[in-house]
Amino acid sequence: MSSMQVEASSDLTTTELLRAHLAATDEKWARVMASDKLLVAVNQTISNWEAIVEDGDEVAFFPPVTGG
């Protein structure tokens, strides 16, 4: 697992805006963020792409998982 910090910004107020910001940083991020099956969690709670992101929130992006 890796992590990074992103400076709080008035341009990054939702999980979708954060996703777009990361996708624009380089080709690797763009490929990862392009998945239509990507899930997002805010503060360890599964969320949606309209969720508000505030300074200090933990946002995690991950592919869907299956198991049994």
Side-chain angles (χ1 to χ4, degrees):
M1 174 172 36
S2 74
S3 66
M4 67 184 296
Q5 289 188 351
V6 176
E7 287 292 321
S9 166
S10 61
D11 296 335
L12 303 176
T13 56
T14 67
T15 52
E16 178 58 39
L17 292 171
L18 179 58
R19 174 172 139 156
H21 169 78
L22 292 172
T25 59
D26 69 32
E27 187 176 315
K28 180 180 173 184
W29 277 105
R31 281 193 310 270
V32 171
M33 294 297 164
S35 171
D36 62 345
K37 297 183 186 327
L38 191 69
L39 299 176
V40 64
V42 178
N43 298 320
Q44 300 181 5
T45 300
I46 295 294
S47 193
N48 61 53
W49 296 110
E50 293 81 36
I52 301 298
V53 177
E54 297 180 352
D55 190 25
D57 282 349
E58 175 189 68
V59 180
F61 300 98
F62 51 95
V65 295
T66 61

